[in-house]
Amino acid sequence: TLRSNRYNQNLSLGQPVEEIDRDFSAALRASAPMTIIQRAGVTGEPEYYASTLVPITDGQNTAGWLIVDIDQSGRQALFLAMTSKVSVVIGLLLIAAPVLGFWHRARQRALVEQTIETLARHDQLTGLPNKSAFLKDVDAKMAMPLPHGQQSALVLFEVSGAGSTSQTHGQDAEDHIVRTVAQRLAAARTDGIEIATTGRNVFGMFISAVTDAVDVLSLVKDLTGTLGAPVDYRGLVIPPGSIPTP
């Protein structure tokens, strides 16, 4: 056998040595090859090298053992570099995970708060602002000074035929009529006009700046005709009816 507990370039096959690494004891007993990675112990040796123990045999008998030391410093450096990169990536992920978690929770909370605020301000059937939100907006606009000669107007529209429709055709028919009227009223909205669902089958319209009352009456007349037009419900033509109250 050849001495392998120290990397020694001066050893040759012609100088057998009895001493062998303790790590190879199991391989010697099993008569099996074995490789171990070692680190330099003295000056002049490679920083890392692989020691391989190979039996010399004719297939049946073992005549001796051959130990080969191969420099592994380059591979070990590559492994350490890759390990360092992986460690950096893992560290960044550990740092980023709480930040991303906090951002996700904050975003979810903001969406929930926005949804709650939207539900609190809007009528669930029509999607228009509800009475509470409408009155707040009207109060805010009424508190603002108007130009000389201008006034404000408040108009309420009641869908008078919706109640009788529910008795004849069911609640779904009444809801369909109310939603249709709400869509028609929303389509007629322009700048300076606020609309809302102020009660069951009742809509409100606030006009913030009016210079002539005749213009308001003309607008109400046109809207009454538009909102009171028949509604198609599953093949049935139902007149919703609309009674304006300026």
Side-chain angles (χ1 to χ4, degrees):
T1 58
L2 294 180
R3 178 179 175 180
S4 66
N5 62 323
R6 285 287 182 267
Y7 184 90
N8 195 332
Q9 296 179 347
N10 296 323
L11 295 178
S12 64
L13 294 177
Q15 298 176 341
V17 181
E18 295 294 335
E19 184 177 356
I20 193 168
D21 268 347
R22 186 179 304 172
D23 295 333
F24 288 126
S25 299
L28 289 173
R29 288 194 296 268
S31 297
M34 181 179 180
T35 299
I36 60 175
I37 302 297
Q38 303 192 78
R39 193 167 185 175
V42 296
T43 304
E45 293 181 352
E47 185 176 2
Y48 293 93
Y49 59 90
S51 292
T52 301
L53 176 68
V54 182
I56 302 174
T57 176
D58 60 358
Q60 296 180 350
N61 301 314
T62 300
W65 298 84
L66 177 64
I67 294 180
V68 180
D69 293 331
I70 303 175
D71 186 357
Q72 298 290 315
S73 300
R75 293 186 177 182
Q76 185 68 17
L78 177 61
F79 173 76
L80 292 176
M82 294 178 64
T83 303
S84 299
K85 291 181 179 180
V86 172
S87 300
V88 170
V89 172
I90 293 176
L92 292 176
L93 290 176
L94 292 176
I95 294 174
V99 176
L100 292 176
F102 174 79
W103 174 82
H104 179 71
R105 289 191 298 271
R107 184 172 180 270
Q108 289 297 109
R109 181 177 179 180
L111 290 175
V112 170
E113 291 178 350
Q114 183 179 0
T115 301
I116 293 175
E117 182 179 359
T118 300
L119 292 175
R121 288 182 52 87
H122 290 78
D123 180 75
Q124 296 185 11
L125 178 61
T126 64
L128 296 177
N130 56 28
K131 182 178 179 180
S132 177
F134 180 66
L135 292 178
K136 288 182 180 179
D137 293 340
V138 170
D139 288 341
K141 292 184 179 298
M142 291 290 291
M144 299 174 59
L146 292 174
H148 179 70
Q150 290 189 353
Q151 296 179 339
S152 300
L154 176 63
V155 183
L156 298 178
F157 294 89
E158 180 182 2
V159 185
S160 58
S164 60
T165 300
S166 64
Q167 298 176 4
T168 306
H169 303 289
Q171 186 61 46
D172 288 343
E174 178 183 354
D175 293 344
H176 177 72
I177 289 176
V178 172
R179 283 193 296 265
T180 303
V181 173
Q183 293 171 1
R184 293 173 179 176
L185 187 60
R189 179 174 48 189
T190 59
D191 294 338
I193 296 180
E194 301 291 336
I195 61 173
T197 301
T198 58
R200 183 174 179 81
N201 306 333
V202 179
F203 299 94
M205 171 182 288
F206 179 76
I207 307 174
S208 57
V210 178
T211 56
D212 191 345
V214 176
D215 294 337
V216 176
L217 295 176
S218 176
L219 174 63
V220 170
K221 181 180 179 181
D222 293 340
L223 284 176
T224 301
T226 301
L227 302 181
V231 176
D232 181 24
Y233 174 72
R234 298 180 180 179
L236 298 176
V237 179
I238 305 173
S242 176
I243 303 176
T245 305

